[in-house]
Amino acid sequence: MASITIRNLDDDIKRRLRVRAAEHGRSMEEEARDILRQVVGQPNAPRNLGEAIHARFAAVGGIDLAPVQRGPMRPTPGFE
């Protein structure tokens, strides 16, 4: 297995990592490994824009809208 060193980590980030690790009952190193697994562990299949929007708002649920009543189309202007 590989190992990495993270330099120039903000003190606040390190403190929050330490708190998060303590909340989960593990070391900071194991907490960092878990975060990395969650974020970069499984590659996501690329989605198109419609699928991305649908996934973002799927939990909100849908609504039913009444159909819009439309009038007749206006005539096309003549460019002479």
Side-chain angles (χ1 to χ4, degrees):
M1 293 215 152
S3 63
I4 63 172
T5 301
I6 302 172
R7 291 181 174 82
N8 301 321
L9 187 63
D10 292 335
D11 290 335
D12 185 53
I13 298 294
K14 182 179 177 184
R15 181 190 58 76
R16 290 190 295 171
L17 180 63
R18 183 174 52 245
V19 169
R20 182 177 165 147
E23 288 172 350
H24 293 131
R26 53 187 168 208
S27 68
M28 286 177 45
E29 187 174 333
E30 181 57 33
E31 187 68 22
R33 277 194 295 268
D34 187 60
I35 292 168
L36 287 170
R37 270 189 226 104
Q38 290 176 21
V39 174
V40 296
Q42 299 295 327
N44 295 333
R47 296 185 296 190
N48 65 34
L49 179 60
E51 289 173 346
I53 292 170
H54 176 31
R56 167 78 53 124
F57 295 103
V60 175
I63 59 171
D64 293 324
L65 298 175
V68 176
Q69 298 296 324
R70 298 182 183 268
M73 291 180 61
R74 291 183 267 174
T76 305
F79 296 104
E80 298 175 19

